Amino acid sequence: MAVFGNLVRDHLTQVEKHNADALNNVAELFLGSIRAGGLVLTGGAGHSLAVVAETFYRAGGLACVYPLYHPQIQPLHGARASTSAERISGLADDVFGKVGLSGHDVLVVFSTSGVNPYPVELAIAAQNAGMPVVAVTSSHANAAAPRRADTTLAENASIVLDTLVAPGDSSYPPEAPVTSALSTVANAFLWGEILARLVDKATAAGVEIPLWRSSNVPGGDEANQRYLDLYGPRVPQL
């Protein structure tokens, strides 16, 4: 449907313009981390885990990603239970505490509202460990959401990327939205923007970026084995 397609295209254009400077800053942050041998930790809860999956072990993706995950925050393991779990204080510390930190790592947290304890406490745990935090959230959704933690994700971030998603996430029909959430599209778009800018900056600096290849192209498995050997001992999910 052209109306929805135009709506998505217009929204992503706004997101790109709004976040241009912040995206460059995140790409620089990633480049510094990779050059120092760090990992990029990615986290979220509920449907934000769709983007965490997008960051991990996929063709063209960063091989140095450590996905933060707990079954309780995944809707496929229990929809209502996952909503309750991201509102539980302490779960983030348990998840974050299992990561072997290098001192050069970066945390990226995806959370549209940015108000529940799990994403907020992930950011706080990283800050307490001296780690920079990138928040991918929506200022509009955050402004309308009920507070469930003492602070918000954005308030505990070094850099904020704004998806500009409306409260409730639905986008269609435009005059009274009831369906077609935009958060996943906007989150994936911002992640792709980071990777594209990272590769450009790395090329200019003469730095090799560890990127996965598709296992469904000739030589893909062989190329990926290098990174499985390198990051496998540090990223248990591999």
Side-chain angles (χ1 to χ4, degrees), residues 39 66 100 226-238:
L39 297 173
Y66 187 123
R226 172 188 175 191
Y227 297 126
L228 290 169
D229 292 341
L230 179 62
Y231 293 112
R234 301 171 63 191
V235 181
Q237 295 86 345
L238 290 173

Side-chain angles (χ1 to χ4, degrees), residues 16-133:
E16 183 177 35
K17 290 179 179 178
H18 181 87
N19 293 286
D21 290 341
L23 283 164
N24 283 326
N25 293 338
V26 175
E28 289 284 359
L29 192 63
F30 277 26
L31 182 59
S33 173
I34 291 167
R35 295 181 81 163
L39 297 173
V40 176
L41 282 58
T42 59
H47 286 88
S48 291
L49 281 169
V51 197
V52 174
E54 175 69 16
T55 70
F56 179 65
Y57 192 59
R58 63 110 60 242
L62 273 181
C64 55
V65 165
Y66 187 123
L68 299 173
Y69 172 77
H70 193 287
Q72 286 183 246
I73 57 172
Q74 166 60 269
L76 295 178
H77 288 285
R80 288 177 296 176
S82 70
T83 297
S84 299
E86 65 180 315
R87 299 177 183 179
I88 297 173
S89 181
L91 184 60
D93 286 334
D94 180 55
V95 172
F96 188 82
K98 290 180 170 62
V99 183
L101 303 179
S102 72
H104 304 287
D105 310 305
V106 178
L107 171 66
V108 183
V109 183
F110 300 93
S111 176
T112 298
S113 67
V115 297
N116 287 312
Y118 182 77
V120 173
E121 291 177 8
L122 272 184
I124 293 172
Q127 280 197 328
N128 289 341
M131 184 186 302
V133 177

Side-chain angles (χ1 to χ4, degrees), residues 112-116 138-148 152 167-168:
T112 298
S113 67
V115 297
N116 287 312
S138 167
S139 58
H140 302 316
N142 179 267
R147 294 297 183 264
R148 298 193 179 96
T152 67

